[in-house]
Amino acid sequence: SASLLGEVVRVQSPDGMKKIASTKRETAAALLKKVAKEFGFNTNGFSIYLNRNKTGEILSQNKTLSLLKIKHGDMLYLFPSASSSSSGEVMDTATPHSSSSQPSVQEDEIDQYLTKQDGKIYRNKDPQLCHHGSLGKCVHCVPLEPFDEDYLNHLDPPVKHMSFHAYLRKLTGGADKGKFAALENISCKIKSGCEGHLPWPEGICTKCQPSAITLNRQKYRHVDNIMFENHTIADRFLDFWRKTGSQRMGYLYGRYTEHKDIPLGIRAEVAAIYEPPQNATQNSLELVDDPKAAAVDEIAAKLGLCKVGWIFTDLLSEDTRIGTVRFTRNHDSHYLSAEECITAGYFQNLHSNPCRLSRDGHFGSKFVTVVATGGPDNQVHFEGYQVSNQCMALVRDECLLPCRDAPELGFAKESCSEQYVPDVFFKDKDKFGNDVTFLARPLPVEYLIIDITTTFPKDPQYTFCSTQRFPIENRDILGETQDFHTLATYLSQCTSTAFLDIVSDFHLLLFLVTNEVMPLRDSIGLLLDAVRSSNEDLAQTWKKSEQWATIEQLCSTVGGQPSSSQGYGATGGPSVPASSSAMWSCLHCTFMNQPGTELCEMCSLPRS
């Protein structure tokens, strides 16, 4: 055995390992003082444990090391307390993610459901290759893991990205059952709290410097399918472009469900599109502040919906007579521009995905991007995308810029005195077929994009089952206004319909809650419950309330008076306003023209 004087105890900390000289008769309190002096901590600024998983804490007491069974050469584990440790200075690989050290994270319902699923791909007995009994299993029929790449590649069509939960199964599989599995959010910022040198730009060290990033194709995706409940949702959204020629943007509200075509897959189901205030032209979109944003999210939550993504149009008419559009987004140009990738990254950072395996409590995002654009057959197609977690990090830390003259290229910022930017690389093949690493200045945005199939069901579904159409918000430029006159017209068309079907319209419910004359923010909860559960009795109960009686009274008051701003009929059909100060619809091609013009911009025929 080692002599009394020569005993050495090793202490592992986030800053590395140090050896502390001690004796068997030394007390735990004396050892803690030595450790504090060696590591530069206050005596209460850290905790020391016998085990890596923060069990067997050594307290400051008079027990000797021999009584605590600490022998020569033993490894102890030091963890700084929350107040003394700097952000980002935590053990990277050695900390097992046990329940005691994990923040309690409330994951989404779909994530909780998929975590409990088996997820394995069961196969039938192969009549040619299996030579065993009905209860036996062999290599040809044993269940496959959900992340089996060979199985995914042989699906029709092949699946390039495994689902996120399949990726988690891959991480947490094996002998350790995911004890050491951890998802790290990428950071492109200098770690704060480094005291060995002056702050950037005067100084930097390897401890606080962010690592260089090499862009790779992400092996998994957080959402595997996007499904619009029915064609009406998309058609009403596209109506704005059809009538004005200007592009349009909207937020997708819906829910996340299981996507059964891929093992442990997630589907984003779209039930409604909310169009926020925006300034749009034929080739640009600009979002403006939306005072109703919080109210919309609140109403959607009470209806059992959440914001699952955003959609925008990029359409250019080719032949107005047969309704074709140009096929502009393809492998020769781009699928998403750098500016759109940055916007998608911004939205994904706003709507991060709660995750129990991440120290930060969140990892990636389930927020999707949908583009309505021309397809190879010159018809309108809906293409779904997300950007990778690497792109989210570059956008969050403001390291990525678009190129002005090439929409398919991004540009990684260079470091300056205000901001340190780590080097960003991507790999490509040179003319000889060799893999070569390039600096991401410029950067092809295909390295940042994950494509998602976008579908419509064979049998349409309707969360909102109203057959009549209440005008969509923020379409005043079309003359489609939301006011009590349009509400009176809407209600007069629905006299024979059940009350639940009348009010089961997302845009009507938004108007009832957010209108300036009589907002029903506090008293509409019962009606939202009725729409959510399709309960006609609940809807009839709410109909008898004084709020609805007041609304009917308001409608009857304004019902006979035509609204001055009503350039469109209540059904959405074009009407030609007599005033030359309003937009007018061409009688020949129905294009909406700016006021003051006598020839149609689209077909050049006269207004009359």
Side-chain angles (χ1 to χ4, degrees), residues 44 46-47 63 115:
N44 60 350
F46 64 94
S47 303
K63 284 188 180 178
T115 301

Side-chain angles (χ1 to χ4, degrees), residues 337-407:
S337 71
E339 213 163 359
E340 291 154 5
C341 286
I342 291 168
T343 310
Y346 169 75
F347 283 137
Q348 286 180 209
N349 281 313
L350 281 183
H351 303 88
S352 55
N353 179 50
C355 181
R356 62 192 162 79
L357 280 180
S358 169
R359 270 197 200 91
D360 307 315
H362 61 85
F363 185 76
S365 172
K366 288 198 281 283
F367 199 82
V368 299
T369 299
V370 180
V371 189
T373 186
D377 55 356
N378 297 109
Q379 298 300 316
V380 177
H381 283 234
F382 292 88
E383 308 292 345
Y385 300 99
Q386 275 196 305
V387 292
S388 66
N389 292 1
Q390 288 180 325
C391 178
M392 283 174 63
L394 291 171
V395 172
R396 183 188 64 237
D397 296 332
E398 299 178 356
C399 300
L400 190 61
L401 299 170
C403 288
R404 179 176 293 185
D405 52 346

Side-chain angles (χ1 to χ4, degrees), residues 14-285:
D15 295 331
M17 189 192 75
K18 294 191 179 181
K19 295 178 181 177
I20 310 293
S22 65
T23 64
K24 283 186 180 180
R25 293 176 188 170
E26 192 169 53
T27 61
L31 177 69
L32 289 177
K33 281 183 182 175
K34 280 186 181 179
V35 171
K37 186 178 177 183
E38 188 71 29
F39 282 91
F41 281 110
N42 298 324
T43 48
N44 60 350
F46 64 94
S47 303
I48 287 191
Y49 300 90
L50 291 170
N51 303 311
R52 214 187 277 271
N53 61 355
K54 291 191 177 180
T55 56
E57 184 174 358
I58 300 170
L59 302 170
S60 182
Q61 54 191 0
N62 290 325
K63 284 188 180 178
T64 62
L65 298 189
S66 58
L67 274 175
L68 293 170
K69 296 184 178 174
I70 296 172
K71 303 186 294 296
H72 173 67
D74 278 2
M75 176 82 84
L76 305 178
Y77 300 94
L78 180 150
F79 291 88
S81 60
S83 58
S84 67
S85 65
S86 61
S87 65
E89 284 193 4
V90 285
M91 273 195 198
D92 286 337
T93 53
T95 315
H97 282 249
S98 60
S99 58
S100 61
S101 63
Q102 271 300 91
S104 61
V105 176
Q106 182 64 34
E107 291 187 324
D108 293 342
E109 277 183 37
I110 184 63
D111 293 319
Q112 294 176 35
Y113 170 77
L114 290 173
T115 301
K116 296 171 188 170
Q117 300 306 301
D118 177 24
K120 289 191 174 170
I121 303 148
Y122 288 91
R123 300 184 289 175
N124 295 324
K125 184 178 171 184
D126 191 304
Q128 292 180 325
L129 299 173
C130 297
H131 305 294
H132 50 74
S134 57
L135 297 177
K137 291 285 181 190
C138 69
V139 70
H140 303 294
C141 60
V142 72
L144 299 172
E145 293 290 352
F147 48 82
D148 189 288
E149 289 189 19
D150 195 48
Y151 170 80
L152 295 174
N153 288 333
H154 283 87
L155 285 175
D156 186 26
V159 175
K160 291 188 291 185
H161 308 273
M162 69 179 83
S163 67
F164 180 60
H165 278 268
Y167 177 70
L168 292 185
R169 294 290 166 94
K170 190 173 183 178
L171 277 186
T172 55
D176 65 353
K177 298 297 180 191
K179 187 179 177 185
F180 298 102
L183 296 170
E184 294 291 341
N185 285 302
I186 301 165
S187 174
C188 306
K189 286 185 174 176
I190 293 175
K191 291 178 185 174
S192 58
C194 196
E195 297 171 357
H197 53 78
L198 292 169
W200 175 264
E202 277 76 33
I204 195 169
C205 70
T206 52
K207 200 162 69 174
C208 63
Q209 180 181 5
S211 303
I213 296 172
T214 300
L215 299 174
N216 300 310
R217 182 174 73 86
Q218 194 165 288
K219 293 179 181 176
Y220 57 88
R221 55 186 175 189
H222 290 271
V223 175
D224 303 281
N225 181 260
I226 303 164
M227 187 183 82
F228 287 86
E229 284 190 343
N230 53 73
H231 281 280
T232 310
I233 302 169
D235 278 340
R236 293 196 68 190
F237 175 70
L238 292 176
D239 272 349
F240 186 88
W241 171 79
R242 290 184 183 123
K243 290 172 179 174
T244 65
S246 295
Q247 307 305 335
R248 194 69 172 163
M249 177 268 182
Y251 291 118
L252 307 173
Y253 280 88
R255 58 186 75 80
Y256 295 109
T257 58
E258 184 183 10
H259 180 50
K260 293 189 168 67
D261 294 354
I262 293 173
L264 300 176
I266 291 178
R267 166 185 282 161
E269 287 186 7
V270 179
I273 299 176
Y274 167 71
E275 299 177 16
Q278 55 198 283
N279 298 323
T281 67
Q282 279 188 326
N283 51 20
S284 71
L285 273 171

Side-chain angles (χ1 to χ4, degrees), residues 533-553:
S533 56
S534 299
N535 189 327
E536 176 68 38
D537 295 334
L538 264 183
Q540 288 293 343
T541 308
W542 187 84
K543 187 182 179 183
K544 292 167 187 165
S545 67
E546 58 183 82
Q547 286 87 2
W548 183 249
T550 311
I551 285 173
E552 285 189 314
Q553 185 64 41

